Amino acid sequence: MTIVTPSISPHADDEPALAVLRRHFGYEAFRGFQREVIGHVLAGGDAVVLMPTGGGKSLCYQIPSLLRPGVGVVVSPLIALMQDQVGALRQNGIRAAFVNSSLSGREVWQVINQARAGALDLLYMAPERIVLDSSLTLLDDIPVALFAIDEAHCVSQWGHDFRPDYLGLSVLAERFPDVPRIALTATADVPTRSEIVGRLRLERARMFVAGFDRPNIRYLVTPKENPRQQLKRFLESEHPGDAGIVYCLSRAKVEETAAWLVQHGWKALPYHAGLDSEVRRRNQQRFLFEDGVVVVATIAFGMGIDKPDVRFVAHLDLPKSLEAYYQETGRAGRDGLPANAFLTYGMEDVVLLRRLIESSEAEERFKRLEMRKLDALLGYCETTSCRRQVLRNHFGESAPTTCGNCDTCLSPVESWDGLVAAQKALSCVFRTGQKFGAVHLIDVLLGKQTERVLKFGHQQISTFGIGKELSSGQWRSVFRQLVAGGFLSVDVEGHGGLHLNENSRPVLRGEQPILFRNDPIPGTASRIKERKTDKRQERTRVAATPAESDLWEALRAMRMELAREQNVPPYVIFHDATLREIAEVMPTTQEELAEVHGVGSSKLKNYGERVLQVVAAHGA
Ligand code: ADP
Ligand code: ZN
């Protein structure tokens, strides 16, 4: 790629990478270690890049692809998204194309010929295609600037997104030893890192590990009472008109929840692997192309989605691990504006996940690993300290004890000495024969003469009615925390009956101190809400006066129109942050507009006139 001397760019700089950043992407400076990665790859080195979602991984291979001779070949697992990625690059005046199964043989040839002729900067390919002999032979003929392996954690067999085709990618190392390779992922844990290095033959690569904090995401975890109502309250108070993702564990629940949200006036769409591929494609497109769509999905949704303005991610069921949780919540707020991660969970989730792990066909070693992951997740849910600290520590980072932007920091959780309550609960489990679930055990503790209690004669045992000092809600919390803390086991084969285990004994003997978190009662949660609304208004409201907000609306309408004309999602034209800045500074000349974050020379050329017209018409 040759760099044309900029005629309109107000910035001149000697450093080629910085010049490309400014000219093509309209950004002022590199973020984090982007500059270091780019420099390393430009010099021909291999790299492994670990950065949180939204950290700016793409530029790490896009810019070297533009500056090195030849085409940058990007391996990306999601065919459905290649088109969007390529569309976004073209908006920035970058010559990009993709090759996947949606193209005809002739179209593939056209792309390959372009690459041969040096008319392409970036070429996206699916992993199953690139490893074919025929593709490798084609690549022999094309000057390749670099190979970028996106979502590199897909190579990990123990991970949550394993794709067998990724294992074949080691062939690139053997076949193209002189071409630099760069693997990128947002999955941070150490075992995944070493799998990426080993399986992709990146032993000589330099490892770049970014801080994993996402300061603009607010973490909220709340015990499950009535999950749909909780979700509805959350959406109404925090996210009217916002785009977001709601995760559920099962397909049936996805469908039900989406339908229920629609009934209540939300623009909600289901997404799961059981849906027809055309329906899935359409729903994903609407999420990307329209404003304010809520997708209700199983975890099959979201990987590789680059939508920057996802304002919330809500989990109605526990994710599989903290890694999965972090990656899924990381899809919120890529644009750096405030976003929420909301999770509700209860003991039934723990039972369900334990059962799923137990009943899977996997090896014992794998099951044990999964159980440990679940325990780490439960530790996060039950913590009384800062959630961000727990997360960052889990990923091997040190972190301050408070972040000021999670529920436990915003309204500190009290803990209470739960030894006596725990002993009562455990002895009740024992006295009733270690086969009943929490609901029945609570009835016994509260001294309720239910049909079941009478049927089993439990009104006569010594723990009958010894727990009247707590409410049934408090007992539910006690049982949940005992299970989460590993002091009680769940019968995963049967109906969720509870039984004692080796950790129960020290508690019963009074040798094990027990601290329970005091689950916030509904009224106290509103305290967070109030503060939060203040903050959101102050940070995200664009304009105070009607004239300015007119301008904002007019800019959004213009963006939607442009997006329709170009058949790309609105954020590919301009991010919210860019429109906001335009509404604020109200540029009157091309030069002023070029100064705005996210306006590169290509966008300036294509849309500059229209933006300036809108500002002139509505900005007065
Ligand atoms: P990732 O792939 O790491 O999740 P992306 O590469 O999609 O993240 O980048 C996230 C967002 O940040 C994108 O909208 C991108 O344009 C923006 N971005 C990346 N680098 C910079 C930078 N140096 N300055 C400003 N914005 C940036
Ligand atoms: Zn915190």
Side-chain angles (χ1 to χ4, degrees):
M1 142 110 205
T2 45
I3 298 170
V4 202
T5 327
S7 50
I8 36 181
S9 169
H11 316 283
D13 202 284
D14 295 338
E15 193 188 327
L18 197 58
V20 170
L21 178 76
R22 290 176 177 169
R23 175 154 348 91
H24 281 289
F25 298 92
Y27 297 141
E28 202 40 41
F30 286 115
R31 256 195 209 159
F33 50 56
Q34 282 175 332
R35 170 184 255 133
E36 285 76 14
V37 180
I38 291 167
H40 180 72
V41 175
L42 273 180
D46 294 339
V48 175
V49 174
L50 301 141
M51 253 193 210
T53 311
K57 285 185 284 299
S58 327
L59 291 184
C60 294
Y61 59 82
Q62 287 167 352
I63 292 184
S65 298
L66 291 170
L67 290 168
R68 280 177 65 88
V71 55
V73 177
V74 186
V75 181
S76 170
L78 294 165
I79 291 182
L81 293 168
M82 282 186 189
Q83 198 168 355
D84 296 336
Q85 285 163 336
V86 164
L89 284 165
R90 288 186 182 159
Q91 287 290 325
N92 284 324
I94 293 165
R95 302 170 304 171
F98 61 86
V99 167
N100 65 32
S101 50
S102 74
L103 299 189
S104 68
R106 231 192 85 186
E107 288 168 319
V108 172
W109 270 108
Q110 279 170 349
V111 172
I112 298 297
N113 282 332
Q114 271 179 305
R116 275 213 189 98
L120 269 189
D121 302 311
L122 279 153
L123 175 60
Y124 284 73
M125 282 178 111
E128 61 274 17
R129 176 169 282 259
I130 198 168
V131 297
L132 296 178
D133 247 345
S134 53
S135 305
L136 294 168
T137 310
L138 282 174
L139 288 174
D140 281 334
D141 282 357
I142 298 175
V144 177
L146 58 82
F147 289 106
I149 300 163
D150 205 3
E151 312 283 0
H153 62 278
C154 290
V155 82
S156 163
Q157 269 170 307
W158 305 111
H160 42 90
D161 287 323
F162 176 55
R163 303 212 160 204
D165 291 313
Y166 264 64
L167 295 175
L169 293 174
S170 60
V171 71
L172 299 176
E174 291 143 28
R175 187 112 171 199
F176 306 95
D178 301 328
V179 178
R181 287 172 304 132
I182 168 170
L184 309 102
T185 178
T187 300
D189 59 309
V190 175
T192 309
R193 275 179 220 181
S194 51
E195 270 193 280
I196 290 173
V197 170
R199 294 182 191 278
L200 295 177
R201 309 277 315 274
L202 283 161
E203 292 86 358
R204 292 212 313 261
R206 217 166 120 189
M207 176 96 63
F208 296 86
V209 183
F212 268 75
D213 189 23
R214 296 286 309 278
N216 62 317
I217 296 182
R218 174 168 295 183
Y219 298 99
L220 308 162
V221 181
T222 163
K224 205 180 264 191
E225 301 290 340
N226 180 339
R228 278 184 190 170
Q229 289 297 342
Q230 287 171 298
L231 174 69
K232 185 160 163 277
R233 278 202 300 274
F234 165 71
L235 294 181
E236 280 167 354
S237 67
E238 301 275 319
H239 295 292
D242 283 347
I245 308 174
V246 177
Y247 286 113
C248 303
L249 206 54
S250 73
R251 294 171 186 185
K253 197 161 158 193
V254 162
E255 303 262 357
E256 284 161 27
T257 309
W260 187 82
L261 284 175
V262 168
Q263 260 174 28
H264 288 82
W266 297 87
K267 218 184 327 171
L269 300 170
Y271 190 102
H272 60 71
L275 288 172
D276 185 63
S277 65
E278 177 51 29
V279 175
R280 262 184 320 187
R281 196 194 59 80
R282 205 167 52 227
N283 289 355
Q284 175 168 313
Q285 286 304 94
R286 285 192 56 192
F287 182 63
L288 298 176
F289 282 72
E290 289 175 27
D291 281 333
V293 173
V294 175
V295 164
V296 186
T298 52
I299 44 161
F301 179 78
M303 182 172 55
I305 285 195
D306 287 339
K307 187 175 168 60
D309 54 356
V310 176
R311 292 270 67 84
F312 68 89
V313 167
H315 284 90
L316 293 194
D317 295 307
L318 276 185
K320 285 226 168 66
S321 62
L322 268 186
E323 285 75 16
Y325 171 74
Y326 204 58
Q327 194 153 60
E328 285 152 22
T329 55
R331 290 165 189 155
R334 278 166 170 253
D335 53 10
L337 298 174
N340 280 315
F342 173 88
L343 164 68
T344 114
Y345 86 108
M347 195 160 75
E348 59 276 25
D349 291 278
V350 184
V351 175
L352 185 67
L353 283 184
R354 291 238 155 101
R355 189 176 294 160
L356 281 178
I357 298 171
E358 282 294 330
S359 63
S360 86
E361 305 277 295
E363 297 165 39
E364 273 313 307
R365 186 164 73 103
F366 183 68
K367 289 186 185 176
R368 271 202 307 279
L369 184 75
E370 293 288 288
M371 284 294 184
R372 273 209 305 279
K373 286 185 174 173
L374 179 56
D375 288 339
L377 181 66
L378 294 176
Y380 168 79
C381 293
E382 298 291 359
T383 188
T384 51
S385 26
C386 169
R387 305 231 185 248
R388 195 177 309 274
Q389 187 190 23
V390 175
L391 282 172
R392 293 181 67 182
N393 290 348
H394 181 78
F395 294 115
E397 269 179 44
S398 57
T401 51
T402 53
C403 75
N405 197 26
C406 72
D407 55 356
T408 48
C409 282
L410 289 165
S411 63
V413 182
E414 280 157 22
S415 49
W416 53 287
D417 180 352
L419 181 61
V420 174
Q423 287 174 327
K424 287 181 180 177
L426 295 181
S427 21
C428 194
V429 169
F430 184 72
R431 300 275 169 218
T432 51
Q434 312 199 49
K435 56 184 178 214
F436 293 93
V439 175
H440 179 72
L441 294 165
I442 292 170
D443 284 342
V444 175
L445 285 163
L446 292 176
K448 290 197 186 157
Q449 309 224 0
T450 64
E451 219 172 287
R452 250 164 103 77
V453 167
L454 297 175
K455 177 174 164 203
F456 291 100
H458 288 161
Q459 77 281 17
Q460 280 156 14
I461 62 174
S462 60
T463 52
F464 184 75
I466 60 165
K468 290 185 178 155
E469 70 280 17
L470 299 183
S471 69
S472 71
Q474 286 167 318
W475 278 116
R476 264 209 309 284
S477 164
V478 165
F479 277 104
R480 188 195 76 229
Q481 296 187 61
L482 285 172
V483 171
F487 298 107
L488 263 181
S489 296
V490 180
D491 166 21
V492 287
E493 303 279 293
H495 304 285
L498 299 170
H499 57 267
L500 304 185
N501 59 31
E502 70 270 27
N503 299 328
S504 318
R505 218 156 298 131
V507 179
L508 283 167
R509 282 201 300 259
E511 294 161 9
Q512 162 82 48
I514 297 278
L515 273 186
F516 286 132
R517 86 195 304 272
N518 210 351
D519 291 337
I521 12 178
T524 53
S526 59
R527 253 183 28 225
I528 300 184
K529 227 173 350 191
E530 274 162 33
R531 271 194 245 173
K532 193 176 303 176
T533 336
D534 289 351
K535 205 162 213 164
R536 273 183 64 82
Q537 282 182 347
E538 155 201 321
R539 275 204 272 173
T540 61
R541 269 194 51 202
V542 195
T545 70
E548 277 175 63
S549 93
D550 263 5
L551 174 55
W552 167 246
E553 290 308 329
L555 286 167
R556 271 166 56 109
M558 171 211 68
R559 176 174 69 175
M560 191 52 101
E561 222 170 81
L562 288 170
R564 292 232 167 85
E565 285 166 21
Q566 311 268 327
N567 199 24
V568 293
Y571 57 81
V572 165
I573 304 286
F574 289 121
H575 278 191
D576 279 0
T578 301
L579 283 199
R580 283 210 167 114
E581 204 179 317
I582 294 175
E584 253 165 51
V585 297
M586 298 203 253
T588 52
T589 63
Q590 296 261 342
E591 287 70 25
E592 280 171 25
L593 183 56
E595 293 283 354
V596 172
H597 200 82
V599 183
S601 63
S602 165
K603 288 186 179 169
L604 188 62
K605 184 165 129 249
N606 294 331
Y607 311 132
E609 263 322 302
R610 273 171 82 172
V611 173
L612 293 175
Q613 274 166 18
V614 171
V615 174
H618 297 267

